[in-house]
């Protein structure tokens, strides 16, 4: 077990989301050598309650000078090293809202604590050996998860399911390096190096690195989700489609063209993937200045979206206006949505008029007003999303961009070792790229890490975590 790092300052922060006049509980957290002493100066526990680790006390937080009661609260004591940071940790569980937790935080700061930096509690947990770097990043992913599947992958990382295989790969590379360096230093005393065995080990490491790398697209998709824009000319049923899909009345629906003047947003989860759906103003030449602004925003949203749902009116067929919009978004991934299909007897003629076929562009038929075709639309979106190999690896975790970049560097170094062996270069050349692979694999778990990388990672955390 790593020896705990003694931090010089006691830090404090609000550890829960605070919404004005809402929420039943707000937590103020302290960590550091003075946390217990500060708690004793602020908290009055009536009766014969015992102040000991991992016990919840009931009482009052008081101002240290005036003794005025600030809040009725619960206090949780966690003595080092049995705490999140492996330092002494105190939590005040106060009434929710803004005023109580803010006042409790202020008196903690007044007694000598310092306001924590973003992610500083988790940084201390890492520095004190409580977590490795993949687990720390998984905590941030778990807090920010937008779907149950994203939360499950984050939890898998927190349980060490990514760190374990990475450490095994690094250990194998260290073993290979030790074998090679032993032959360099004690060539006359050891049997010749078994090159075939070394090659087989490197091939296996490379294979496993590629397997883990294959989860990068899946991880990115689950963390950031898809931005999907519904575009089309006015009155084709875009807003009805959004309402049917989100099962709400997010957008105003009328028979008047141009009702939607601005972008309307809804958050959905489809097949475990967070989806940000954007209903846009109908694209047409507009004389109304307000509608012109809405149309321009629609065009911008369509260009920035990961996926476009080009929506047309099945009763009107493929029009010149539809063709104009198609030409603007044809370079983007898109699905054609034939809406109002319940009002036509056959779409055969319409299908023949399209400038593409179902073999090249997914075509979905919907009747948004009747809530029909939504399942087919979601399946088409999932098919496009899954075309990106994000399910290529049969693993229950997904790496992030930083981890992927390190694995790419490790993969390149290992391939260079293979090339060095194939070129029959001296053993000294083998060690150069082996060390590089070991270094980058260690960066993933934090066994090899720089202060600048730590700052970059933990600055993205919320204060109090």
């Amino acid at each position: 077990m790593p020896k705990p790092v003694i931090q010089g300052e006691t830090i404090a922060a609000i550890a829960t989301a605070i919404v004005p006049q809402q929420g039943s509980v707000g937590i103020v957290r302290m960590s550091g050598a003075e946390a217990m002493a500060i708690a004793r100066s602020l908290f009055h526990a009536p009766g014969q309650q015992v102040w000991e680790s991992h016990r919840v006390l009931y009482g009052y937080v008081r101002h240290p000078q005036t003794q005025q009661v600030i809040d009725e609260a619960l206090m949780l004591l966690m003595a080092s090293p049995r705490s999140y940071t492996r330092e002494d940790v105190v939590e005040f569980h106060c009434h929710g809202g803004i005023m109580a937790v803010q006042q409790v935080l202020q008196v903690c700061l007044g007694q000598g604590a310092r306001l924590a930096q973003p992610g500083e509690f988790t940084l201390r947990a890492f520095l004190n050996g409580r977590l490795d770097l993949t687990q720390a990043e998984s905590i941030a992913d778990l807090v920010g998860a937008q779907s149950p599947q994203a939360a499950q992958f984050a939890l898998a990382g927190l349980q060490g399911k990514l760190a374990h295989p990475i450490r095994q790969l690094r250990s194998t590379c260290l073993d290979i390096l030790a074998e090679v360096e032993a032959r360099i230093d004690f060539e006359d005393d050891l049997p010749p190096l078994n090159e075939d065995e070394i090659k087989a080990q490197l091939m296996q490491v490379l294979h496993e690195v590629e397997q883990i790398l294959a989860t990068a697209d899946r991880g990115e998709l689950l963390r950031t989700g898809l931005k999907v824009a519904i575009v089309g000319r006015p009155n084709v049923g875009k807003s009805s489609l959004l309402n049917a899909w989100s099962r709400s009345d997010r957008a105003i629906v009328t028979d008047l063209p141009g009702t939607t003047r601005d972008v309307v947003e809804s958050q959905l989860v489809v097949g475990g993937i967070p989806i940000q759906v954007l209903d846009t103003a109908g694209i047409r030449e507009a004389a109304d200045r307000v509608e012109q602004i809405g149309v321009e925003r629609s065009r911008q949203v369509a260009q920035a979206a990961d996926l476009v749902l080009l929506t047309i009116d099945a009763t009107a067929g493929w029009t010149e206006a539809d063709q104009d919009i198609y030409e603007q978004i044809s370079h983007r991934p898109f699905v054609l949505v034939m809406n109002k299909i319940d009002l036509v007897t056959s779409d055969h003629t319409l299908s023949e008029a399209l400038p593409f076929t179902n073999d090249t562009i997914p075509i979905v038929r919907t009747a948004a007003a009747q809530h029909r075709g939504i399942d087919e639309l979601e399946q088409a979106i999932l098919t496009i999303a899954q075309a990106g190999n994000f399910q290529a690896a049969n693993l229950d975790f997904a790496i992030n961009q930083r981890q992927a970049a390190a694995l790419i560097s490790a993969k390149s170094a290992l391939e260079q070792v293979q090339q060095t062996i194939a070129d029959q270069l001296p053993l000294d050349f083998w060690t150069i790229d082996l060390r590089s692979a070991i270094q980058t694999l260690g960066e993933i778990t934090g066994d090899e890490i720089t202060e600048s990388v730590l700052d970059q990672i933990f600055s993205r955390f919320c204060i109090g975590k």
Side-chain angles (χ1 to χ4, degrees), residues 5-22:
V5 176
I6 304 301
Q7 305 296 336
E9 298 174 296
T10 297
I11 56 174
I14 298 173
T16 47
I18 302 301
V19 181
Q21 300 177 354
Q22 295 185 33

Side-chain angles (χ1 to χ4, degrees), residues 180-414:
V180 173
E181 289 187 329
R183 296 315 189 279
I184 294 172
D185 295 335
F186 307 104
E187 183 178 5
D188 297 334
D189 302 325
L190 295 173
L193 193 66
N194 188 335
E195 287 193 15
D196 290 337
E197 183 179 344
I198 297 295
K199 290 177 183 177
Q201 288 179 308
L202 287 172
M203 284 293 293
Q204 182 61 33
V205 171
L206 264 172
H207 173 69
E208 292 183 31
V209 165
E210 289 168 350
Q211 268 199 315
I212 298 172
L213 262 174
T215 69
D217 289 340
R218 173 175 59 179
E220 186 65 16
L221 190 60
L222 290 173
R223 289 182 184 94
T224 63
L226 281 177
K227 184 180 290 186
V228 177
I230 306 174
V231 303
R233 57 188 179 82
N235 214 31
V236 297
K238 299 185 299 298
S239 296
S240 296
L241 182 62
L242 173 65
N243 289 345
W245 195 4
S246 63
R247 296 174 178 83
S248 68
D249 294 329
R250 296 283 297 170
I252 299 172
V253 177
T254 74
D255 293 330
L256 298 174
T259 299
T260 302
R261 297 298 185 95
D262 205 349
V263 177
V264 180
E265 179 181 334
S266 187
Q267 301 289 341
L268 304 173
V269 176
V270 176
I273 300 172
I275 304 284
Q276 180 186 18
V277 187
L278 303 168
D279 173 30
T280 65
I283 297 177
R284 65 175 178 180
E285 294 300 324
D288 185 325
R289 177 57 182 158
V290 175
E291 187 178 354
Q292 286 177 356
I293 295 172
V295 169
E296 182 56 35
R297 287 184 179 178
S298 297
R299 292 192 174 102
Q300 292 172 357
V301 167
Q303 297 304 318
D306 300 307
L307 179 65
V308 175
L309 304 183
L310 174 55
T311 308
I312 66 173
D313 183 346
T315 64
W318 183 259
T319 67
E320 185 176 339
D322 294 325
Q323 180 68 28
D324 290 342
I325 298 170
Y326 163 69
E327 290 173 358
Q328 295 174 42
I329 59 96
S330 59
H331 64 290
R332 307 290 301 162
F334 76 95
V335 174
L336 179 70
V337 179
M338 290 184 183
N339 195 33
K340 305 183 184 180
I341 204 70
D342 56 317
L343 302 180
V344 298
T345 56
S346 172
D347 64 14
H348 180 69
T349 303
L350 172 57
S351 298
E352 288 183 343
L354 298 176
F356 46 78
T357 66
N358 199 26
D359 295 333
T360 57
I361 299 297
I363 300 175
V364 177
R365 294 159 174 80
T366 65
Q370 309 298 323
H371 290 238
R372 285 167 47 192
I374 301 302
D375 290 343
E376 291 78 6
L377 177 61
E378 291 186 346
Q379 186 55 54
I381 292 171
L382 286 176
T383 299
I384 292 173
Q386 292 171 1
N389 292 336
F390 74 95
Q391 288 186 328
N394 185 26
L395 300 172
D396 57 358
F397 58 79
I399 60 175
N400 61 30
Q401 288 183 330
R402 183 195 72 85
Q403 295 158 357
L407 279 171
I408 289 170
S409 296
K411 179 174 179 285
S412 177
L414 291 167

